[in-house]
Amino acid sequence: QVHVVESGGGLVQAGGSLRLSCEASGRTFSAYVMAWFRQAPGKEREFVASIRWAGGSTNYSDSVKGRFTISRHYAKNMVYLQMTSLKPEDTAVYYCNAADRPRVDRPYWGQGTQVTVSS
């Protein structure tokens, strides 16, 4: 059983910063890639950023590139999302997913953490 737990959401003013954390735990889990997605009210879930465990290569959506930074703690299976210059349109529930090599196409998902950016 693999558990994915996000934390760090909250309310912030436009222009502010917030850091999300996500931990994937399980007796045999070894991260291959972890990612952040978000879902705003009335919209579909969308990709935000991802990071590969080996090498640490990253990928970002155009909407957050230059403002958000994804990073990882290699040994703890933890991933972080540092969000700066936040905008009201960044308001969403942010979800973390984690995949090991056998399940790279079927990642495990967390329950999400709410981020609200006020104007």
Side-chain angles (χ1 to χ4, degrees):
Q1 187 75 8
V2 176
H3 297 280
V4 178
V5 179
E6 305 97 337
S7 62
L11 173 64
V12 63
Q13 288 189 332
S17 300
L18 210 56
R19 186 189 193 221
L20 305 183
S21 300
C22 171
E23 180 178 14
S25 61
R27 192 166 58 87
T28 60
F29 181 78
S30 179
Y32 178 71
V33 61
M34 292 181 70
W36 289 97
F37 285 71
R38 66 186 182 186
Q39 187 166 18
K43 295 187 177 181
E44 293 190 355
R45 192 173 298 188
E46 65 173 1
F47 169 78
V48 175
S50 65
I51 186 165
R52 290 191 176 272
W53 237 240
S57 61
T58 58
N59 192 28
Y60 296 91
S61 68
D62 288 342
S63 62
V64 307
K65 200 173 294 183
R67 299 188 299 122
F68 291 10
T69 302
I70 189 170
S71 61
R72 75 199 191 297
H73 189 300
Y74 187 91
K76 292 185 177 181
N77 286 333
M78 290 193 69
V79 66
Y80 309 96
L81 187 68
Q82 180 67 48
M83 305 183 292
T84 64
S85 301
L86 282 161
K87 306 173 182 180
E89 50 263 44
D90 294 318
T91 295
V93 178
Y94 282 71
Y95 296 91
C96 173
N97 77 22
D100 51 16
R101 188 176 282 272
R103 287 180 56 120
V104 67
D105 58 343
R106 294 174 294 125
Y108 302 95
W109 289 89
Q111 293 300 306
T113 185
Q114 176 70 47
V115 172
T116 302
V117 184
S118 63
S119 57

